[in-house]
């Protein structure tokens, strides 16, 4: 824990931005990395472009970028260190002000490689659409906002903006030297958006690959690459949202039909990039975005801009076939072959042509998972560690510091694992399945063992989890309980192009890979049916998804994980019916008797919601006959049966041998069968009843699929389309927001040792800033306040440094944000703008955290969850 605490607090003590009036100056929590002195200012929609001249006239203020298409606003930088950004928020015509935050590509995980792309395309209807319908994306323009592209790659055209070249648009907005650790990051764009990181080239291959190794979904489309991520420096290739907005606006101005965003950050639709994307959708452009790779953190881990209204948010399923690197384990018991993942960067390949000794770190659990300093010298050895406890980068660093020349990390859950580490640690790092991990650890427990992994060796084998939701894929709903993702595509173990300097090909996993797959299918749909608008495209794509069956329960995987299921673009293109809306986000609902459907009065008081679905028969010659039925999906909760909290969601039903109907969601309709004339529309009302047999206090998220069976006059065959639904089985407004006590948070910690301070009665605080408050959030929160409170009067003395934070995402040990740290000193601010600073007088105080519950009113005290520390002394 020490290393994690200190790394989080380095960020917390370095940043000094805080916020004010809700809806004007937005404040980020201290763990969010922001660009010092830089802000995005959004104007009201009616404010003319000339309004920016007022900012040009301000001393110490530089207008860096002027956005006119996707956002009515500017990005500015301020040279004065003590400048108060609330001055911007108070200016006439200003709608919102955000600090400029840093962004990263939706993190990718290196994976076992896959070379059977045609099988991918078979499962998603892409192959059938290409062969039978002749669509390949021709005439459709796709803008990719990413880390650039190696356009010289032979499978990507080998050209840039020449006649007949697929790459006709794009530019570089960042260059190769950008480092967010610099006080003023260097921005020196290159003449072309050449990729030095790999992410953008891999994404591009999924869309544009021309074979023979990589066959993209829409190879006939015209592409633009808008480079907004730099080369990895110190292991990271970051950007900031002002640069992202510049790339997104350029893609919009170039007239692209589709904009692909394999990136994410934040959890609220109020993020500036999310605001811009929502506006782009309103102007008729399809935006496709990765939901994120924080599935290990459980529910509500989706990120912006995927959660923005109108954006197509994408989840990931695992590929069906993987090609792994064989590893030969040799011991006194003989030899055994295991399957090693293949890192996406060839800079540190796991190539060992001779037998190399294996070793498990000695010690307790922290040592077994490789999350502590080693007690032994690992020089010349490959260490074997278990997944969990800390990041893959930290595992690699501990092993490297001990002298190890490689790391094998085995999964802590069933199935293959695809870890990735940055280039900052110069040793190879690979993953293996839990089964292979058990073999290796059992072998080492019996004696010595070695591993050999010859250079260039590969083996293809079926994936145990092919077609299932990837474990890393973030889970919905959004912070505002909207359904995300909307649809899923192959994103686990994807073989695609890579910069030629980095090996030409790589296998990566992530929603970053699933996102371009969906963008490609949208291109095929637009080519086949050019009359469709953005909403119609979304309706057809989502309602033709194929729900995924959970093999453990036999029910459908919850739409909070899969959306409508696996994309099937052939069925979407051929569809002759549209459902509006294609998704029903039920949020929560109150308990009452059902009104409007007398046949359901016998159900008594239940949680229920009524929704109306509009159905349009687009066949101009034949009548449509339909009937509906319900396919209940798994319910998910992060509360275990014993009442404890778990970041790995609990699934209901756990045992399918005896499942009571009242523990599953039910769907009823007074008009479950309908006939619709050629070109006509009708409406169907559905009553959705939450699982009455599941306890409200266990915070279940339920969902399922309304299956519409369709048959047209004179046709013998039927087809099925779906409308997914999901809701919260309880009153979301009373949920606890702060992490459970089992996490040991909130806690006051020593920032030097990283250890909790358990005895506060002898603690004395001054302004040396060696103590801090750590807290976590089990669900997102609109506002979290951290205050010093006078112990004698129980009245707030003011906000702590960085003590007023808006729009916070969930935290969890294995998420991109494990917790939030706030420094504890004598300094407080007496206003929510954090501008009126003072020092509290000596005396007894405690810390109070107020976290706003879902849909709470910031002015109502009872809408907050409150935590108080013990009393301590301030000198």
């Amino acid at each position: 824990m020490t290393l994690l605490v200190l790394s989080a607090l380095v960020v917390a003590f370095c940043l000094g931005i805080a916020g004010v009036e809700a809806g004007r100056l937005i404040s980020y929590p201290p763990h969010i990395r922001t660009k010092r002195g830089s802000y995005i200012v959004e104007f009201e929609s009616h404010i003319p472009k000339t309004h920016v001249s007022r900012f040009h006239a301000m001393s110490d203020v530089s207008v860096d970028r002027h956005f006119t298409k996707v956002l009515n606003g500017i990005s500015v930088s301020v040279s004065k260190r003590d400048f108060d950004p609330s001055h911007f928020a108070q200016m006439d015509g200003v709608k919102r002000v955000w600090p400029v935050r840093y962004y990263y590509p939706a993190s990718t995980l290196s994976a076992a490689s896959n070379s059977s792309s045609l099988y991918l395309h078979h499962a998603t209807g892409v192959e059938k659409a290409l062969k039978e319908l002749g669509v390949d994306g021709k005439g459709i323009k796709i803008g990719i906002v990413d880390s650039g592209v190696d356009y010289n790659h032979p499978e990507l055209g080998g050209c840039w903006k020449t006649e007949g070249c697929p790459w006709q648009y794009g530019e570089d907005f960042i260059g190769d030297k950008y480092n967010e650790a610099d006080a003023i990051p260097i921005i020196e764009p290159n003449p072309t958006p050449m990729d030095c990181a790999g992410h953008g080239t891999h994404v591009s291959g999924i869309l544009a690959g021309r074979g023979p190794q990589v066959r993209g979904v829409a190879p006939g489309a015209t592409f633009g690459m808008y480079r907004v991520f730099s080369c990895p420096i110190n292991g990271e290739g970051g950007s900031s949202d002002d640069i992202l907005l510049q790339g997104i606006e350029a893609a919009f101005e170039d007239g692209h039909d589709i904009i692909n965003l394999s990136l994410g950050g934040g959890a609220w639709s109020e993020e500036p990039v999310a605001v811009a994307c929502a506006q782009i959708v309103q102007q008729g452009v399809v935006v496709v975005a990765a939901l994120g790779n924080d599935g290990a953190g459980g529910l509500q881990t989706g990120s912006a801009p995927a959660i923005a209204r109108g954006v197509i948010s994408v989840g990931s399923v695992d590929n069906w076939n993987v090609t792994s690197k064989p590893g030969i384990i040799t011991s006194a018991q003989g030899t055994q072959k295991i399957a090693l993942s293949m890192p996406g960067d060839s800079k540190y390949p796991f190539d060992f042509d001779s037998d190399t000794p294996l070793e498990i770190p000695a010690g307790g659990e922290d040592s077994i998972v490789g999350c502590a300093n080693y007690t032994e010298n690992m020089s010349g050895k490959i260490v074997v560690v278990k997944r969990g406890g800390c990041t893959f980068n930290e595992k690699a660093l501990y092993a490297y510091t001990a002298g190890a020349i490689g790391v094998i990390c085995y999964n802590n859950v069933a199935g293959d694992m695809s870890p990735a580490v940055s280039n900052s640690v110069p040793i190879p790092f690979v993953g293996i399945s839990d089964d292979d991990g058990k073999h290796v650890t059992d072998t080492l427990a019996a004696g010595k063992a070695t591993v050999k992994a010859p250079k260039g060796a590969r083996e293809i084998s079926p994936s145990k989890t092919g077609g299932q939701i990837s474990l890393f894929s973030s889970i919905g709903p959004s912070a505002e309980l909207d359904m995300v993702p909307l649809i899923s595509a192959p994103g686990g173990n994807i073989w695609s192009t890579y910069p030629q300097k980095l090996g030409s090909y790589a296998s990566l996993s992530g929603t970053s890979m699933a996102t371009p797959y969906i963008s490609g299918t949208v291109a095929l749909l637009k080519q086949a049916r050019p009359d469709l608008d953005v909403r119609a495209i979304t309706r057809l794509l989502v309602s033709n998804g194929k729900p995924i069956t959970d093999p453990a329960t036999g029910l459908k995987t919850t739409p909070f994980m899969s959306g409508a299921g696996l994309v099937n673009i052939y069925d979407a293109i051929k569809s002759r019916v549209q459902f509006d809306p294609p998704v029903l986000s039920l949020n929560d609902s109150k308990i009452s008797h059902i009104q409007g459907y007398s046949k359901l009065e016998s159900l008594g008081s239940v949680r229920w919601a009524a929704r109306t679905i509009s159905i349009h028969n687009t066949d101009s010659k034949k009548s449509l006959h339909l009937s509906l039925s319900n396919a209940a999906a798994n319910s998910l909760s992060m509360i275990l049966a014993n009442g404890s909290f778990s970041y790995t969601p609990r699934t209901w039903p756990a045992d399918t041998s005896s499942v009571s109907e009242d523990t599953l969601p039910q769907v009823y309709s007074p008009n479950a069968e309908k006939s619709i004339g050629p070109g006509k529309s009708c409406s169907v009302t559905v009553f959705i009843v939450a699982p009455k047999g599941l306890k409200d206090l266990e915070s279940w998220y339920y969902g399922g699929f309304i299956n519409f069976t369709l048959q047209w006059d004179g046709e013998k065959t039927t087809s099925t389309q779906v409308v997914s639904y999901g809701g919260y089985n309880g009153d979301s407004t009373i949920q606890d927001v702060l992490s459970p006590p089992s996490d040991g948070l909130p806690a006051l910690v020593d920032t030097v040792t990283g250890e909790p301070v358990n005895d506060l009665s002898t603690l004395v605080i001054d302004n040396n800033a060696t103590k801090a408050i750590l807290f976590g959030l089990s669900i997102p929160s609109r506002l979290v306040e951290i205050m010093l409170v006078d112990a004698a009067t129980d009245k707030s003395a003011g906000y702590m440094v960085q003590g007023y934070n808006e729009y916070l995402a969930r935290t969890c040990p294995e998420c991109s944000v494990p917790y939030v740290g706030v420094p504890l000193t004598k300094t407080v601010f007496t206003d929510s703008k954090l501008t009126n600073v003072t020092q509290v007088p000596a005396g007894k105080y405690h810390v109070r955290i107020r976290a706003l519950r879902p849909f709470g009113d910031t002015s109502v005290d009872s809408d907050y969850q409150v935590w108080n520390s013990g009393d301590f002394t301030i000198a």
Side-chain angles (χ1 to χ4, degrees):
M1 177 178 173
T2 302
L3 182 62
L4 287 173
V5 169
L6 295 179
S7 64
L9 292 178
V10 167
V11 177
F13 279 87
C14 288
L15 302 179
I17 298 302
V20 298
E21 282 176 80
R24 301 301 292 277
L25 175 59
I26 305 301
S27 63
Y28 289 131
H31 63 277
I32 299 297
R33 301 180 69 175
T34 60
K35 188 186 295 185
R36 186 183 297 276
S38 296
Y39 305 92
I40 293 172
V41 181
E42 182 187 14
F43 303 135
E44 298 286 356
S45 59
H46 65 277
I47 297 299
K49 298 176 182 178
T50 54
H51 193 70
V52 71
S53 61
R54 298 177 59 189
F55 290 81
H56 283 294
M58 297 175 69
S59 60
D60 302 317
V61 175
S62 173
V63 177
D64 300 323
R65 296 172 182 86
H66 187 189
F67 307 109
T68 60
K69 303 295 184 182
V70 302
L71 190 77
N72 183 22
I74 56 176
S75 65
V76 299
S77 55
V78 180
S79 58
K80 188 178 180 181
R81 291 186 63 86
D82 59 350
F83 180 84
D84 179 5
S86 65
H87 294 317
F88 291 147
Q90 294 164 3
M91 294 173 66
D92 290 342
V94 171
K95 184 177 182 180
R96 279 179 287 207
V97 178
W98 297 273
V100 170
R101 67 176 291 167
Y102 289 110
Y103 264 77
Y104 306 91
S107 57
T108 51
L109 314 163
S110 66
S113 66
N114 164 69
S115 58
S116 55
S117 59
L118 289 179
Y119 187 77
L120 276 176
H121 295 339
H122 172 72
T124 58
V126 169
E127 181 182 4
K128 193 173 183 181
L130 290 169
K131 290 182 177 179
E132 292 188 14
L133 306 179
V135 291
D136 62 359
K138 185 177 181 180
I140 306 302
K141 294 165 61 176
I142 305 175
I144 306 168
V145 182
D146 215 292
S147 68
V149 59
D150 182 355
Y151 46 79
N152 290 323
H153 197 294
E155 295 206 33
L156 296 177
C159 56
W160 179 253
K161 293 187 177 181
T162 57
E163 185 176 355
C165 180
W167 300 98
Q168 291 294 326
Y169 303 93
E171 58 184 296
D172 186 353
F173 293 98
I174 194 166
D176 298 346
K177 300 178 181 179
Y178 188 93
N179 184 357
E180 58 268 33
D182 294 341
I184 302 178
I186 299 171
I187 300 176
E188 294 181 356
N190 297 316
T192 63
M194 178 57 73
D195 187 11
C196 55
H199 188 272
T201 301
H202 196 275
V203 165
S204 297
I206 295 167
L207 273 164
R210 298 184 165 195
Q213 289 204 48
V214 178
R215 298 191 180 276
V217 178
T222 301
F223 299 96
M225 174 57 73
Y226 302 85
R227 186 183 180 217
V228 296
F229 293 107
S230 188
C231 304
I233 298 175
N234 297 324
E236 295 182 331
S239 185
S240 54
D241 47 15
D242 55 341
I243 298 175
L244 261 63
L245 285 171
Q246 195 175 6
I248 292 169
E249 181 161 276
F252 177 78
E253 289 184 310
D254 282 343
H256 288 288
D257 303 293
I258 304 159
I259 296 178
N260 185 93
L261 299 172
S262 291
L263 51 87
W268 292 81
S269 58
E270 284 77 7
E271 296 285 341
V273 173
V275 170
C277 288
Q279 293 188 15
I280 289 173
V281 172
Q282 290 178 358
Q283 297 182 63
V285 176
V286 178
V287 178
V288 185
L291 188 61
N293 300 329
D294 279 333
L299 290 148
Q300 292 190 284
T301 48
S303 62
I307 47 82
R309 300 289 169 83
V311 171
I312 298 176
S313 53
V314 184
S316 171
V317 302
D318 283 348
N319 197 358
W320 291 262
N321 289 326
V322 295
T323 304
S324 59
K325 186 181 187 72
I328 308 302
I329 305 296
T330 301
S331 67
Q333 289 89 6
T335 62
Q336 174 77 27
K337 185 163 61 177
I338 62 174
L340 306 166
S341 68
M342 302 184 68
D345 190 338
S346 62
K347 190 172 182 180
Y348 303 112
F350 197 89
D351 293 338
F352 296 93
D353 292 324
S354 59
D355 290 321
T356 306
L358 294 169
E359 189 79 35
I360 295 176
E365 178 64 20
D366 282 348
S367 298
I368 294 172
V369 296
C371 296
N373 290 318
Y374 290 17
T375 58
E376 61 268 70
N377 187 340
M378 293 292 186
S379 296
K381 297 178 180 178
I382 295 171
V383 298
V384 178
V385 297
K386 182 181 179 180
R387 181 182 184 180
C390 61
T391 67
F392 295 132
N393 258 23
E394 289 166 329
K395 294 177 190 288
L397 180 60
Y398 280 121
Y400 173 69
T401 303
I405 58 175
V407 180
I408 296 176
C409 182
Y410 61 94
N411 209 350
N412 57 1
V413 294
D416 299 320
M417 187 182 65
S418 310
V421 297
S422 71
N423 293 332
S424 59
V425 184
I427 58 173
F429 190 106
V430 296
I432 58 176
S433 69
D434 57 321
D435 289 340
D436 282 347
K438 184 178 188 306
H439 169 77
V440 173
T441 54
D442 287 349
T443 300
L444 286 170
K448 294 182 178 181
T450 62
V451 64
K452 181 192 294 186
K455 182 178 180 179
R458 289 181 185 171
E459 289 187 351
I460 297 176
S461 59
S463 170
K464 298 177 182 178
T465 56
Q468 296 298 309
I469 291 296
S470 304
L471 292 177
F472 58 76
S473 192
S474 288
I475 306 172
S478 74
E480 295 159 299
L481 297 189
D482 288 329
M483 179 73 76
V484 289
L486 291 183
I487 194 73
S488 293
N493 308 322
I494 306 301
W495 182 249
S496 186
T497 49
Y498 218 58
Q500 294 173 93
K501 291 182 179 180
L502 299 177
S504 296
Y505 301 93
S507 187
L508 301 179
S509 292
T511 52
S512 281
M513 286 61 254
T515 300
Y517 204 100
I518 292 298
S519 293
T521 63
V522 172
L524 303 185
L525 181 56
K526 283 187 69 68
Q527 180 189 3
R529 301 179 64 170
D531 57 315
L532 298 175
D533 61 17
V534 173
R535 290 190 62 189
I537 288 168
T538 303
R539 288 195 292 263
L540 288 175
L541 197 72
V542 172
S543 65
N544 284 279
K546 306 306 175 189
I548 298 166
T549 300
D550 182 347
T553 67
L555 297 181
K556 300 301 180 184
T557 297
T558 171
F560 290 125
M561 297 177 73
S562 69
L566 181 64
V567 66
N568 190 295
I569 193 57
Y570 180 86
D571 286 355
I573 292 172
K574 299 293 287 183
S575 175
R576 291 175 283 170
V577 62
Q578 290 191 29
F579 296 89
D580 188 19
V583 171
L584 302 177
S585 294
L586 306 177
N587 300 327
D588 58 8
S589 52
K590 305 302 180 184
I591 296 178
S592 66
H593 285 79
I594 293 178
Q595 299 174 354
Y597 192 13
S598 59
K599 292 183 178 180
L600 299 183
E601 291 179 357
S602 60
L603 293 177
S605 290
V606 291
R607 292 194 182 276
W608 64 280
R611 294 290 188 271
T612 298
I613 303 169
S614 175
I615 306 169
H616 179 53
N617 177 14
T618 59
D619 192 312
S620 61
K621 297 180 180 180
K622 296 181 179 181
S623 292
L624 166 64
H625 308 281
L626 63 83
S627 61
L628 68 85
S629 60
N630 177 46
N634 295 335
S635 294
L636 297 181
S637 172
M638 298 177 72
I639 307 298
L640 301 181
N642 62 8
S644 63
F645 185 90
S646 171
Y647 289 101
T648 301
R650 171 187 172 200
T651 299
W652 180 267
D655 179 8
T656 56
S657 60
S658 58
V659 180
S660 173
E661 185 178 87
D662 69 352
T663 63
L664 302 176
Q666 304 296 321
V667 176
Y668 305 92
S669 177
N671 42 14
E673 296 184 0
K674 281 276 190 178
S675 293
I676 310 173
K680 302 296 184 179
S681 300
C682 77
S683 296
V684 171
T685 298
V686 293
F687 293 82
I688 302 174
V689 179
K692 184 178 181 180
L694 298 181
K695 298 176 182 178
D696 281 12
L697 293 178
E698 293 183 347
S699 298
W700 290 97
Y701 289 82
Y702 67 91
F705 304 88
I706 303 173
N707 293 326
F708 286 89
T709 301
L710 313 171
Q711 188 171 29
W712 277 264
D713 279 346
E715 299 180 12
K716 294 181 179 180
T717 59
T718 61
S719 59
T720 301
Q721 293 189 31
V722 300
V723 171
S724 55
Y725 65 89
Y728 177 71
N729 190 41
D731 183 354
S732 66
T733 64
I734 64 173
Q735 288 188 90
D736 281 344
V737 178
L738 296 171
S739 293
S742 58
D743 277 7
L745 299 175
L748 198 152
V749 299
D750 188 309
T751 61
V752 176
T753 65
E755 297 301 323
V757 179
N758 295 317
D759 185 6
L760 300 187
S761 63
T762 60
L763 178 64
V764 179
I765 298 295
D766 52 27
N767 270 337
N768 290 330
T770 61
K771 302 296 184 292
I773 286 289
L774 296 187
F775 67 93
L777 298 176
S778 59
I779 58 175
S781 180
R782 163 70 178 78
L783 175 64
V784 176
E785 301 171 329
I786 308 100
M787 299 171 283
L788 270 181
V789 176
D790 189 310
T793 65
D794 200 38
K795 300 294 185 182
S796 171
Y799 294 104
M800 291 168 53
V801 176
Q802 301 160 345
Y804 189 93
N805 304 287
E806 298 181 86
Y807 300 112
L808 280 77
R810 273 209 49 219
T811 64
C812 74
E814 292 194 35
C815 291
S816 52
V817 179
Y819 42 74
V820 182
V822 176
L824 175 58
T825 69
K826 297 171 61 175
T827 301
V828 296
F829 297 88
T830 57
D831 65 327
S832 62
K833 299 178 182 180
L834 302 194
T835 55
N836 299 327
V837 63
T838 187
Q839 304 285 306
V840 298
K844 289 284 187 180
Y845 295 85
H846 56 262
V847 173
R848 175 170 296 161
I849 300 176
R850 299 195 335 144
L852 190 66
R853 300 182 193 273
F855 306 109
D857 186 331
T858 58
S859 64
V860 178
D861 289 344
S862 59
D863 284 353
Y864 290 83
Q865 181 187 0
V866 179
W867 174 87
N868 292 295
S869 74
D871 292 344
F872 49 83
T873 300
I874 289 186

